[in-house]
Amino acid sequence: MEPKISKIGVFTSGGDAPGMNAALRAVVRSAIYYKKEVYGIMQGYEGMIDGDIVKLGARSVGNIIQRGGTILKSARSQEFRTKEGREKAFQNLKKHGIDGLVAIGGDGTFTGLHKFYEEYSIPAVCIPGTIDNDLAGTDYTIGYDTATNTAVEAIDKIRDTAISHNRLFFIEVMGRNSGYIAINCGIAGGAVATIIPEENMTLDDLFHKLDEGGKTNKKSSLVVVAEGSKLGGAMELAKKFSERNNYFDIKVTILGHLQRGGTPTYFDRVLASKMGVAAVEGLLKGEKDVMVGIRNNIIVYNNFSTIINHQHEIDSESLRIAKILSI
Ligand code: F6P
């Protein structure tokens, strides 16, 4: 018989992502629906260690479904990586009687929670919240859709000015070690080339592609560069290409953190709502040490050990399409 859960602690951790608030709302309201108490842990693992824990009610999460960021705040805690830090966190959870956890975050968050589960056996369910869409075990992470739409909107704007001035832009997008955001921004933004860590494009391949454009009278071009590119970031690539190019006028834009903010799209809100409810229902049914995912539109529970350190692979069809359309 699984131990009965009566008090759920919820927190957001790692890089914030649009839709985290919608997920929090879903966790709080479904916990209350099932007559459980729910506590918000501020600033991720930092708040767990410092005892910054507040009781939440259905109204505490009113008017947040449409808000970017996270009202619980977030952090990347170094102290939780230590045994002493985790012991302090456990004592604080015990003080509040918290006997189940829901974490909203990415790979780093899950890795910490998996360790914590192994040490203290508090049932824990994670909700994938990161713009990177880099987690195995789910087709989508919360925030990816919004971040990609934001980036594509920015790329469209850059295209207007690129065309007006006959310029070549190197545009860098986020994604840490994953090229998910980049490849789909490249397709949707009509890039001439997309540089992602998963592909072994050489500098020669890239320069050849850009030279081809010059030869066929291409007046302006956009190159999308994933921040994890092994060939170098947008700045570096632009510098290298400008040393050998006298055709294009070259500019660089690094989109950076603007991709992390803003109102979540309908897709992210619905995804977050489904995952939030699934996390609570999973906990109450005895799931522990798992991450909620969505595969082919169906909610699944993945064992942490099968997803930690396994990156969501980019499908070969996207790579093929990007290549065909960039001539
Ligand atoms: O994981 C989300 C993300 O935005 C990555 O795309 C990026 O590499 C990283 O976080 C940036 O982290 P920080 O905001 O801590 O600089």
Side-chain angles (χ1 to χ4, degrees):
M1 212 13 209
E2 297 296 340
K4 233 174 116 230
I5 287 173
S6 56
K7 295 186 183 181
I8 297 175
V10 57
F11 61 99
T12 51
S13 171
D16 62 325
M20 278 185 162
N21 281 327
L24 169 69
R25 171 181 179 269
V27 169
V28 171
R29 294 211 171 155
S30 46
I32 292 169
Y33 177 86
Y34 288 111
K35 314 237 172 316
K36 306 296 168 190
E37 283 184 33
V38 54
Y39 291 82
I41 302 165
M42 301 303 294
Q43 272 193 284
Y45 293 119
E46 292 288 305
M48 215 184 271
I49 291 167
D50 297 341
D52 195 356
I53 297 173
V54 286
K55 188 155 186 217
L56 298 173
R59 299 284 80 78
S60 322
V61 289
N63 195 27
I64 65 166
I65 193 166
Q66 79 289 10
R67 283 169 61 186
T70 157
I71 61 162
L72 289 183
K73 300 189 183 287
S74 193
R76 301 190 197 275
S77 172
Q78 290 308 317
E79 202 179 347
F80 196 74
R81 290 169 188 261
T82 67
K83 207 164 173 26
E84 297 70 35
R86 292 194 294 276
E87 172 60 24
K88 275 194 218 163
F90 174 68
Q91 292 307 333
N92 281 322
L93 294 181
K94 213 164 118 188
K95 209 186 297 167
H96 286 84
I98 293 171
D99 47 13
L101 286 171
V102 176
I104 308 166
D107 195 52
T109 308
F110 304 168
T111 308
L113 202 53
H114 178 53
K115 185 130 201 72
F116 195 62
Y117 174 76
E118 284 181 335
E119 290 170 351
Y120 297 101
S121 305
I122 296 187
V125 175
C126 278
I127 297 177
T130 165
I131 64 165
D132 300 339
N133 206 24
D134 57 347
L135 301 169
T138 188
D139 293 340
Y140 296 103
T141 57
I142 296 165
Y144 163 72
D145 186 67
T146 307
T148 310
N149 274 299
T150 301
V152 169
E153 205 179 303
I155 290 169
D156 287 348
K157 289 179 175 154
I158 292 169
R159 176 184 281 282
D160 288 345
T161 175
I163 288 176
S164 304
H165 287 266
N166 294 341
R167 281 173 171 161
L168 165 65
F169 271 81
F170 285 83
I171 305 166
E172 188 173 303
V173 297
M174 275 189 166
R176 202 180 290 277
N177 300 319
S178 162
Y180 233 97
I181 294 179
I183 193 71
N184 288 309
C185 280
I187 294 173
V192 66
T194 304
I195 322 293
I196 57 171
E198 292 86 344
E199 261 197 323
N200 290 322
M201 190 186 256
T202 63
L203 272 183
D204 275 350
D205 295 336
L206 173 66
F207 293 165
H208 179 71
K209 179 110 210 157
L210 297 175
D211 290 341
E212 284 290 290
K215 281 185 215 144
T216 56
N217 207 23
K218 220 173 182 8
K219 295 275 186 260
S220 65
S221 273
L222 306 178
V223 176
V224 173
V225 185
E227 69 174 343
S229 144
K230 294 183 199 132
L231 279 186
M235 276 298 187
E236 205 179 325
L237 289 176
K239 189 164 173 285
K240 284 184 182 153
F241 188 59
S242 62
E243 281 160 10
R244 66 189 295 282
N245 147 82
N246 49 21
Y247 178 74
F248 285 114
D249 180 17
I250 298 172
K251 296 281 172 187
V252 175
T253 303
I254 296 174
L255 295 183
H257 286 81
L258 84 81
Q259 293 156 100
R260 286 238 297 256
T263 303
T265 57
Y266 112 84
F267 182 89
D268 275 329
R269 296 182 205 191
V270 173
L271 179 67
S273 301
K274 283 183 181 171
M275 286 182 166
V277 172
V280 170
E281 289 182 340
L283 259 188
L284 301 183
K285 280 185 202 143
E287 293 287 358
K288 44 190 181 256
D289 205 27
V290 295
M291 180 195 86
V292 174
I294 194 151
R295 305 300 291 267
N296 301 319
N297 220 14
I298 293 172
I299 289 287
V300 291
Y301 297 94
N302 303 275
N303 228 289
F304 275 172
S305 47
T306 63
I307 52 151
I308 286 171
N309 297 325
H310 290 79
Q311 191 154 309
H312 186 183
E313 279 178 26
I314 293 186
D315 58 302
S316 51
E317 188 57 7
S318 298
L319 300 175
R320 200 177 72 85
I321 288 170
K323 214 153 271 155
I324 292 175
L325 299 181
S326 65
I327 53 172

